[in-house]
Amino acid sequence: MKIAAGIDLGTQSLKVVLYDYEEKRIAAQASCPLELISKEDGTREQKTEWYDAALKNAFEKLPAELRSRIEAVGVSGQQHGFVPLDKDGKSLYNVKLWNDTSTAEECRTLTEQAGGDAEVIREAGNLMLPGFTAPKILWLKNHFPEVWKKLHYILLPHDYVNYVLTGNYVMEAGDASGTALFNPAKRAWSQKLCSLIDEHLYDLLAPLIASDEQAGTVSEKAARLLGIPEGIPVSSGGGDNMMGAIGTGTVSDGFLTMSMGTSGTLYGYSDKPIADPEHGLSGFCSSMGGWLPLLCTMNCTVATEQIRSLFGLSVADFDRLAAAAEPGAQGVRVLPFFNGERTPNLPKGRASITGLTMTNSSRQNICRAAMESAVFALKGGLDAFKKLGFEPKEIRLIGGGAKSPLWRQIVADIMNVPVSVPVSEEAAALGAAVQALWCLEGGTPDRIKSLCAEHIRLNKEKSAQPGSAVCEYERAYRDYNELLGQLSPLYTHG
């Protein structure tokens, strides 16, 4: 048995899969939940100590005999989080996460200093949004100047795990392109954007390695901590969306991956830089060469979980009620901005339920409208892809939403694109394992595509085709966008 390990550091948990690449199956997997610090000002934070403990806990749950057979490790991590360390590798402050919206003021400051949105887009391929890393760095400097003076390492969550495993301080283009300090077209740090925060920031940023390079090898300390072999390669890794693209086989033009978890994402592979930041389509690099244009919303299963909790329903009961409602929920609409929102850029956004009348006010309609709202928000990304000439052949659905037959059909109908579901539910962790295998082989750019063809399988029983509800959803989507346009001014300035 030959094993590549994939680690996925998410918002809600840290997961590890041990992938037997000879038998093409997951031999074992384990996870450990993570806490979240939430505040009314939009703060969303975690602690590096939680990551350390979760990493150790997850590996300890795996059979020692299998751990001893690991030949390479790959790491996936939630994007955009800011991990500040001192010169000894100790955390200086909490990790500010992708869904932290407390940095809206820093975004305004950086955008003005850069010369406006157009200049930021020219340098970063994106707008300066609260979800990205750059405003978080300025926030730390503004709020904790004494801590700032001790800052030595600037890491993203997946890079932090690489650092724990290897002791090396490096980054790769995929995750780095989500910092708003990086030029995706040039695949290089932007000295101009860095200088807006601090004249020394550029020198603090990690050296960049190629996607197929090693971040390093497992250190003696990490080997003892996790019970894995010392000296085995650790691949470059990447953001969870970049690893999810590998783990779903979204490695060529025409295929899109849609992830429905806490956040919602829609992304596709491109051989050339593609971006439409003004319509929410970020210009990221992939973690296998090439580019990964992506739309992200901060509120996806958040909406259904909040409403499910409000009604005191189990997941099964929630789905049953939603299935009893008609497509379009008889005009009931949900704006799902429980966390504020990144796409559209409404960091002060609030959730709402509208369209209720004496005849349509039911739990069934509200439940279905919550599910539909998450997909409506992501459909804007599909529209942006099409405007740029990207013709979608198939959506590969992952995340919690992929487990629901109803949600799979809603996605197929609203997007009007066939939907398939990978066999493995842990796409990001599996993608990290496949990238680790690529690194182990010393492969070429074409080899990662053939590895995906060999190791990524789809569950034909969970596919969904667009059906009779397509026309109804076209009307409902127009209603949703009209409502969004009417309410957005309420959340833009306060």
Side-chain angles (χ1 to χ4, degrees):
M1 184 183 294
K2 295 185 177 181
I3 290 176
I7 300 168
D8 179 30
L9 173 55
T11 312
Q12 299 180 27
S13 66
L14 182 145
K15 303 170 184 175
V16 181
V17 301
L18 302 185
Y19 181 66
D20 180 348
Y21 63 86
E22 285 188 317
E23 296 295 326
K24 297 181 173 60
R25 66 181 183 89
I26 292 178
Q29 61 187 54
S31 66
C32 181
L34 292 168
E35 297 179 55
L36 180 66
I37 300 168
S38 299
K39 298 179 182 178
E40 282 297 318
D41 66 352
T43 293
R44 301 290 187 271
E45 296 173 348
Q46 291 176 328
K47 296 179 179 291
T48 57
E49 306 95 273
W50 299 351
Y51 297 166
D52 297 341
L55 189 64
K56 184 173 186 294
N57 178 272
F59 270 95
E60 285 177 344
K61 292 177 180 177
L62 297 166
E65 194 272 336
L66 293 181
R67 281 184 277 157
S68 70
R69 292 177 177 268
I70 297 174
E71 298 184 354
V73 182
V75 180
S76 163
Q78 49 176 297
Q79 287 189 254
H80 315 312
F82 171 38
V83 186
L85 305 180
D86 67 13
K87 62 181 177 61
D88 298 316
K90 302 297 183 185
S91 178
L92 288 167
Y93 185 74
N94 294 341
V95 182
K96 290 190 83 64
L97 305 184
W98 60 273
N99 54 349
D100 187 298
T101 59
S102 66
T103 60
E105 185 57 40
E106 283 74 17
C107 289
R108 282 192 285 271
T109 298
L110 290 172
T111 299
E112 289 173 3
Q113 291 179 345
D117 287 340
E119 288 300 314
V120 175
I121 291 172
R122 186 174 290 113
E123 280 294 307
N126 296 293
L127 295 166
M128 188 66 66
L129 302 177
F132 294 146
T133 316
K136 298 175 175 60
I137 298 173
L138 180 58
W139 183 94
L140 183 73
K141 181 181 180 182
N142 288 343
H143 288 78
F144 297 96
E146 293 306 311
V147 170
W148 173 263
K149 293 176 183 177
K150 300 176 184 178
L151 183 65
H152 190 78
Y153 296 117
I154 294 171
L155 294 165
L156 299 165
H158 112 261
D159 300 310
Y160 175 74
V161 178
N162 278 353
Y163 180 76
V164 171
L165 291 171
T166 69
N168 291 344
Y169 180 44
V170 294
M171 288 192 184
E172 53 77 46
D175 219 0
S177 60
T179 60
L181 293 172
F182 185 88
N183 188 310
K186 296 179 180 178
R187 291 182 177 267
W189 296 115
S190 167
Q191 194 143 15
K192 176 180 179 178
L193 293 175
C194 291
S195 66
L196 301 179
I197 297 175
D198 189 271
E199 61 180 335
H200 302 298
L201 178 60
Y202 184 85
D203 296 326
L204 289 177
L205 295 173
L208 294 163
I209 60 173
S211 300
D212 58 350
E213 286 186 70
Q214 295 183 11
T217 58
V218 172
S219 67
E220 179 185 0
K221 179 181 178 182
R224 285 199 314 269
L225 179 72
L226 304 178
I228 63 178
E230 180 184 353
I232 59 175
V234 177
S235 65
S236 64
D240 52 1
N241 295 303
M242 289 74 192
M243 294 297 100
I246 297 174
T248 57
T250 299
V251 294
S252 58
D253 284 338
F255 294 94
L256 294 169
T257 293
M258 182 169 167
S259 175
M260 301 184 74
T262 306
S263 65
T265 54
L266 183 73
Y267 50 86
Y269 177 82
S270 175
D271 288 325
K272 60 183 183 297
I274 287 181
D276 185 4
E278 292 180 352
H279 293 94
L281 198 61
S282 296
F284 294 154
C285 296
S286 79
S287 293
M288 56 179 186
W291 285 265
L292 195 79
L294 176 149
L295 177 132
C296 177
T297 63
M298 289 187 171
N299 299 272
C300 188
T301 58
V302 170
T304 54
E305 286 301 292
Q306 287 291 328
I307 290 176
R308 185 174 70 80
S309 176
L310 178 66
F311 289 154
L313 298 169
S314 67
V315 172
D317 286 341
F318 182 93
D319 268 23
R320 179 180 54 78
L321 283 173
E326 298 174 2
Q330 292 185 303
V332 177
R333 303 283 176 257
V334 170
L335 289 186
F337 307 145
F338 289 91
N339 278 324
E341 189 48 80
R342 161 175 162 179
T343 308
N345 183 22
L346 300 171
K348 306 260 184 211
R350 294 292 182 266
S352 59
I353 302 171
T354 65
L356 295 173
T357 68
M358 292 292 290
T359 58
N360 69 7
S361 298
S362 68
R363 294 195 301 171
Q364 290 93 328
N365 282 331
I366 293 172
C367 290
R368 188 172 190 111
M371 297 181 81
E372 292 170 350
S373 71
V375 187
F376 287 149
L378 288 165
K379 183 170 168 56
L382 184 68
D383 294 343
F385 270 103
K386 289 180 176 179
K387 287 177 183 176
L388 294 171
F390 189 103
E391 289 300 326
K393 301 173 185 174
E394 181 179 87
I395 290 173
R396 296 184 171 177
L397 192 63
I398 59 175
K403 298 176 183 178
S404 164
L406 176 59
W407 226 336
R408 295 195 295 267
Q409 189 59 54
I410 289 174
V411 171
D413 289 337
I414 290 178
M415 298 298 204
N416 198 15
V417 176
V419 168
S420 65
V421 177
V423 169
S424 174
E425 295 180 355
E426 302 302 339
L430 178 59
V434 172
Q435 191 207 51
L437 178 57
W438 182 43
C439 178
L440 181 65
E441 290 187 354
T444 63
D446 286 338
R447 179 56 178 150
I448 187 66
K449 295 184 180 182
S450 61
L451 282 171
C452 287
E454 291 173 28
H455 297 282
I456 307 305
R457 294 179 295 141
L458 302 177
N459 189 332
K460 294 181 180 179
E461 294 180 359
K462 292 185 176 181
S463 63
Q465 298 292 324
S468 59
V470 169
C471 291
E472 177 59 38
Y473 277 131
E474 288 177 355
R475 289 189 290 270
Y477 180 56
R478 288 195 295 270
D479 290 347
Y480 176 88
N481 281 326
E482 183 178 344
L483 177 66
L484 178 62
Q486 291 169 345
L487 292 185
S488 290
L490 297 176
Y491 309 132
T492 303
H493 302 293

